[in-house]
Structures are given as structure tokens and as C-alpha cells.
């Protein structure tokens, strides 16, 4: 049962749409809905797990039945028949393809280039450990298996960088690609007062240094000096630290100075690539004057007649009441705090939405496909104006299936088309996206 607030709000704010959650699903939903010309606000207690991610968009590695995926379009087209309650069973291939196209377009407009090497198949990209994973949409600077088809590859990191182990990456890649000569080396970090502590350097610190043109030149010189030129490398792999706000300029500058191809390998969380993705989406929303209010704790919601009327939020010591025509739950699952455990039972704590798959296997583990129960338009059961997207949804296991970010994008797109039909606004729907 939904619990209404007993606290008196300091003031109220009114929007067409309020999105709760600032992960990939929440920010992308806000981007789609703001494109429709609607007044949108995002409220969240933090930046979401996207900032800890590799920045890759994993679409689907295997089906719920455990079958490997070869053709994404053909496989996702079967979900409606075989797994109708799966989020992909409600969105289909079209929503995913349109969402990926629009995300790439958005990111490119502010200087962050993403690519899809093959439209209907996964590609294999390097992980922070030097292993391979299947993904679909990824930064243009990311290292993939195509990178390792050269005769000689050098893995270069910075001495003291904690978030990346070039020796481990080189060792694992050598086992995977015995026909490629792979070496590794460390570049010295320039001494700069207040910037680095010996042996304790974070990837985000170096990325911010790359944003500064003067420091970028110094770092590039250090990388160039560390390359084992006697091995005649054709490709250089570096940790994903080539700029935070000025990534493309940093990447291009390094390629130009070295005179060869350079690609990035993700670092351990907190991830620079994930931070780039978050910052880029937030920048789009800032341009569109969409308030993204972080450090806000959604306390409770008020509803009547199956309709959410408001959500009360704690921010800066005040209670603020948000009213809207529609509310979107993009609060994540157990890890993101969108679901919590209360007395041994799972619960969606804001609107007390009905759940699916919310039972326990044993004392320490919940099944991963627990989440909010929705209809085919992603409307939460029992509510007329509450919708849900991303990890908060039930009916799938993102970790086993390898589909978390793909679900985030596809369900955001599905919501935008649902609300377009109800409001008459133009949006980034399938036809608008050229699908």
C-alpha cells in the first residue's frame, strides 16, 4: 500500500514529467521526453551506476534459455512469442535500434563518438582485465578484437595508476591472441604539485589533466617516451583516461603525435568512460533546460484513484513536492536501491509498486529477475500515470543475459512512444529515428 507523506513541503514544483533516477535509463528517458517539448525534471540521490560502467551498451549476450545470440534482430524479434513478459518482449528490436541510433546521434552532437561495428551482431571488446566481452554500441576509441589483428601491440599505462594493470592485460591478451606480439610498459607521470600522490593516482585525475591542453602535451610526451619502439608496435593500447570533457581532442592528439592507431581499454570503477557517458547526457539535458537534481532523496508519493499525484523529495534540508502528469521510475534494482529488502521481502519503497519474481532462493540471494510488474506499455500495474524503465523492471536477468544497458535504452524509447501517443507530442520514435 502506498504511504503518503505526513511532512509539510517547503514548496512545490510542477512539470509534465518527473523522472526518478539518473542512471542511463533515467537520463535517456529524460532526453527523449524533453525532445517532445515536454517540461521534464530528473530527481535522484546520485549519478547512478552508469558512472561505474565501461560505457559500453551491452544489448544481449544470451537468451533467457541460455542460447548464445548470433543475430540480434532475429533473436529479439522472437521475444514477444517466447518471453512476452521480458522487457524485450514488450519493446522489440525496433525500439532498441531506434534508441541506439538516437543515443549515438545525441552523443556525437556534443563530441563523444559512439559506433556500432555491426548493426545486427555483437562485437567483442576488451575489458579492464584484458579479457573479451560481447557488446554492441561502444565508444569509437574502445579497443576491440579488430585491434589485436595487428602483428605487434603495445600496452602502455602510467606509473602509479591504481585502476589499470598493463601487465595483467598483456598476459591475458597474449593467451587470447598468440599470433600477436604484445608488450607492455609504464610511462612516468610528470610531477605537478597537488595533482598526484606517488603510487596512488586515480584514472579520473589523469583524465582531467588531459582536458588541459598544456598538461595533455606533457602526458603525451611521457607516453611516447615509454613506447618500446624496438618492437615496432602497430597499435598502442592505453587505459581509458584520454580526457573527460575533451576526450575526442585528447584521443586525436595522441594518435597524431604517435603516428599510429591508439585505442582505450576500460579502467576499474569509477570509470572515466562511464563518467563521459553520464556527463554527456547531462550536458544535453542542461542545454534543454531540464533540471537534473542530484543528492535528492525521494521520500514518499501521494496517489488517489490509481494515479500518482506527487512525490515528496528531501533536498538541502527541505521537503520539496514534485507534481506532474506522469512519473517515471528509473530507480534501478537491488544494487541501485530501486528495490529494497524489508523483513525478508523485496519492496519498491517509493510507490509500493507490485513486483514480479520477488521470491528468495535462499537467505543470501534473491533471483535476479525480480522487479516492478508492468503492462505492454511499461505502465506500472495499478497506476495510470506511473511508468517504469531500466533495471527496476522485472522479468529478466541482466547479468546472465548481458542486456542491462540495452534494456535501459529500449524501455526508455518504449516509454517515449507510449507518451507520444497519449499526449500528441512529437518525439524520437521509430519513424523519426529512421527505423
Amino acid at each position: 500500500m502506498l504511504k503518503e507523506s505526513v511532512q509539510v513541503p517547503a514548496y512545490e514544483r510542477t512539470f509534465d514529467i518527473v523522472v526518478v533516477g539518473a542512471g542511463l535509463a533515467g537520463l535517456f528517458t529524460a532526453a527523449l521526453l524533453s525532445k517532445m517539448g515536454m517540461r521534464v525534471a530528473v530527481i535522484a540521490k546520485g549519478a547512478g551506476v552508469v558512472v561505474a560502467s565501461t560505457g559500453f551498451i551491452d544489448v544481449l549476450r544470451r537468451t533467457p534459455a541460455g542460447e548464445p545470440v548470433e543475430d540480434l534482430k532475429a533473436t529479439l524479434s522472437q521475444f514477444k512469442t517466447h518471453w512476452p513478459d521480458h522487457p524485450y518482449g514488450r519493446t522489440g528490436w525496433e525500439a532498441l535500434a531506434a534508441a541506439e541510433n538516437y543515443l549515438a546521434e545525441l552523443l556525437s552532437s556534443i563530441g563523444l563518438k559512439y559506433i556500432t561495428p555491426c548493426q545486427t551482431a555483437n562485437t567483442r571488446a576488451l575489458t579492464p582485465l584484458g579479457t573479451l566481452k560481447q557488446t554492441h554500441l561502444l565508444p569509437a576509441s574502445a579497443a576491440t578484437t579488430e585491434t589485436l589483428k595487428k602483428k605487434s601491440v603495445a600496452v602502455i599505462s602510467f606509473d602509479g595508476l591504481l585502476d589499470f594493470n598493463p601487465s595483467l592485460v598483456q598476459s591475458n591478451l597474449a593467451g587470447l591472441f598468440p599470433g600477436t606480439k604484445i608488450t607492455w610498459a609504464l610511462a612516468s607521470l610528470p610531477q605537478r604539485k597537488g595533482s598526484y600522490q606517488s603510487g596512488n593516482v586515480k584514472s579520473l585525475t589523469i583524465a582531467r589533466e588531459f582536458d588541459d591542453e598544456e598538461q595533455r602535451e606533457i602526458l603525451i610526451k611521457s607516453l611516447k617516451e615509454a613506447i618500446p619502439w624496438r618492437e615496432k608496435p602497430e597499435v598502442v593500447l592505453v587505459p581509458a583516461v584520454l580526457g573527460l570533457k575533451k576526450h575526442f581532442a585528447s584521443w586525436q592528439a595522441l594518435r597524431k603525435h604517435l603516428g599510429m592507431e591508439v585505442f582505450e581499454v576500460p579502467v576499474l570503477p569509477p570509470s572515466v568512460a562511464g563518467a563521459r557517458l553520464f556527463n554527456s547526457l547531462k550536458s544535453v539535458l542542461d542545454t534543454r533546460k531540464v533540471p537534473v537534481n542530484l543528492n535528492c532523496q525521494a521520500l514518499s508519493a501521494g496517489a488517489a484513484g490509481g494515479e500518482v499525484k506527487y512525490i515528496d523529495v528531501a533536498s538541502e534540508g527541505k521537503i520539496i513536492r514534485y507534481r506532474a502528469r506522469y512519473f517515471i521510475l528509473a530507480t534501478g534494482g537491488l544494487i541501485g536501491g530501486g528495490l529494497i529488502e524489508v523483513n525478508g521481502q523485496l519492496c519498491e519503497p517509493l510507490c509500493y509498486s507490485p513486483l514480479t519474481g520477488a521470491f528468495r532462493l535462499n537467505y543470501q540471494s534473491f533471483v535476479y529477475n525480480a522487479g516492478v510488474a508492468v503492462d505492454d506499455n511499461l505502465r506500472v500495474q495499478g497506476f495510470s500515470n506511473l511508468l517504469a524503465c531500466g533495471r527496476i523492471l522485472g522479468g529478466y536477468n541482466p547479468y546472465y543475459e548481458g542486456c542491462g544497458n540495452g534494456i535501459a535504452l529500449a524501455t526508455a524509447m518504449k516509454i517515449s512512444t507510449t507518451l507520444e501517443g497519449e499526449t500528441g507530442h512529437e518525439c524520437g520514435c521509430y519513424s523519426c529515428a529512421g527505423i
Side-chain angles (χ1 to χ4, degrees), residues 222-294:
S222 181
L223 286 170
K224 188 172 184 178
E225 291 173 350
I227 292 176
W229 294 104
R230 63 186 180 279
E231 304 295 345
K232 299 180 180 179
E234 299 174 71
V235 173
V236 170
L237 303 183
V238 297
V241 297
L242 301 180
L244 192 60
K245 295 180 179 179
K246 299 180 179 179
H247 163 60
F248 188 76
S250 299
W251 181 38
Q252 293 297 90
L254 182 57
R255 295 171 70 186
K256 179 179 178 180
H257 279 73
L258 298 186
M260 68 180 72
E261 290 297 323
V262 177
F263 295 98
E264 291 185 308
V265 181
V267 297
L268 297 173
S271 162
V272 172
R276 288 176 195 150
L277 180 56
F278 174 85
N279 290 343
S280 296
L281 286 172
K282 187 176 181 301
S283 177
V284 168
L285 297 178
D286 290 342
T287 300
R288 296 180 181 178
K289 302 188 184 306
V290 174
V292 179
N293 304 305
L294 303 179

Side-chain angles (χ1 to χ4, degrees), residues 357-369 397:
F359 58 89
R360 287 190 107 158
L361 291 175
N362 54 55
Y363 181 77
Q364 293 184 338
S365 65
F366 288 102
V367 290
Y368 287 118
N369 65 353
N397 184 335

Side-chain angles (χ1 to χ4, degrees), residues 16 22 26 92 115 152 223 229 286 306 317 329 346 350 365 374 380 389 414 419 425 431:
D16 297 316
I115 60 171
S152 180
L223 286 170
W229 294 104
D286 290 342
L329 286 179
L346 277 183
L350 181 57
S365 65
V374 296
V380 177
C389 61
K414 180 68 175 183
L419 297 188
H425 286 274
S431 58

Side-chain angles (χ1 to χ4, degrees), residues 381-420:
Q381 292 180 9
F383 295 93
S384 62
N385 68 334
L386 179 66
L387 298 92
C389 61
R391 185 61 196 98
I392 189 66
L393 294 169
Y396 76 111
N397 184 335
Y399 312 105
Y400 176 74
E401 298 165 26
C403 62
N405 283 347
I407 293 293
L409 297 186
T411 54
M413 181 61 74
K414 180 68 175 183
I415 284 178
S416 76
T417 56
T418 294
L419 297 188
E420 178 200 19

Side-chain angles (χ1 to χ4, degrees), residues 116-389:
T116 304
C118 180
Q119 187 69 23
T120 60
N122 286 315
T123 190
R124 293 192 298 169
L126 272 65
T127 73
L129 302 180
T131 56
L132 299 173
K133 67 173 293 185
Q134 293 188 62
T135 190
H136 194 237
L137 179 66
L138 69 167
S141 62
T144 66
T145 51
E146 293 298 315
T147 307
L148 280 304
K149 291 183 177 179
K150 305 294 184 179
K151 293 181 180 179
S152 180
V153 174
V155 183
I156 311 295
S157 186
F158 287 101
D159 191 13
L161 176 61
L162 294 176
D163 308 327
F164 187 78
N165 187 331
S167 174
L168 178 62
V169 170
Q170 181 272 337
S171 176
N172 286 333
L173 288 180
L176 291 169
F177 299 90
T180 300
K181 186 171 186 178
I182 304 174
T183 56
W184 71 275
L186 291 175
S188 299
L189 278 171
Q191 295 299 315
R192 187 182 183 195
K193 187 176 181 180
S195 292
Y196 313 120
Q197 294 180 6
S198 178
N200 187 28
V201 183
K202 298 292 187 180
S203 55
L204 285 169
T205 301
I206 299 178
R208 293 187 181 99
E209 293 289 279
F210 267 101
D211 286 340
D212 181 281
E213 290 188 20
E214 182 177 341
Q215 288 302 308
R216 181 191 305 158
E217 294 297 319
I218 296 173
L219 291 169
I220 288 175
K221 180 181 178 181
S222 181
L223 286 170
K224 188 172 184 178
E225 291 173 350
I227 292 176
W229 294 104
R230 63 186 180 279
E231 304 295 345
K232 299 180 180 179
E234 299 174 71
V235 173
V236 170
L237 303 183
V238 297
V241 297
L242 301 180
L244 192 60
K245 295 180 179 179
K246 299 180 179 179
H247 163 60
F248 188 76
S250 299
W251 181 38
Q252 293 297 90
L254 182 57
R255 295 171 70 186
K256 179 179 178 180
H257 279 73
L258 298 186
M260 68 180 72
E261 290 297 323
V262 177
F263 295 98
E264 291 185 308
V265 181
V267 297
L268 297 173
S271 162
V272 172
R276 288 176 195 150
L277 180 56
F278 174 85
N279 290 343
S280 296
L281 286 172
K282 187 176 181 301
S283 177
V284 168
L285 297 178
D286 290 342
T287 300
R288 296 180 181 178
K289 302 188 184 306
V290 174
V292 179
N293 304 305
L294 303 179
N295 302 315
C296 294
Q297 180 66 48
L299 300 175
S300 59
E307 183 176 288
V308 177
K309 299 295 185 181
Y310 63 82
I311 290 177
D312 282 349
V313 172
S315 177
E316 299 180 350
K318 299 178 182 178
I319 304 298
I320 305 169
R321 178 160 293 177
Y322 283 81
R323 294 187 181 274
R325 182 177 177 185
Y326 293 96
F327 295 87
I328 314 296
L329 286 179
T331 46
L334 280 166
I335 294 176
L339 299 176
I340 63 173
E341 180 188 359
V342 178
N343 298 324
Q345 300 292 324
L346 277 183
C347 169
E348 186 279 296
L350 181 57
C351 298
Y352 291 84
S353 307
L355 303 182
T356 178
F359 58 89
R360 287 190 107 158
L361 291 175
N362 54 55
Y363 181 77
Q364 293 184 338
S365 65
F366 288 102
V367 290
Y368 287 118
N369 65 353
V372 168
V374 296
D375 64 15
D376 283 347
N377 289 319
L378 302 184
R379 186 173 279 103
V380 177
Q381 292 180 9
F383 295 93
S384 62
N385 68 334
L386 179 66
L387 298 92
C389 61

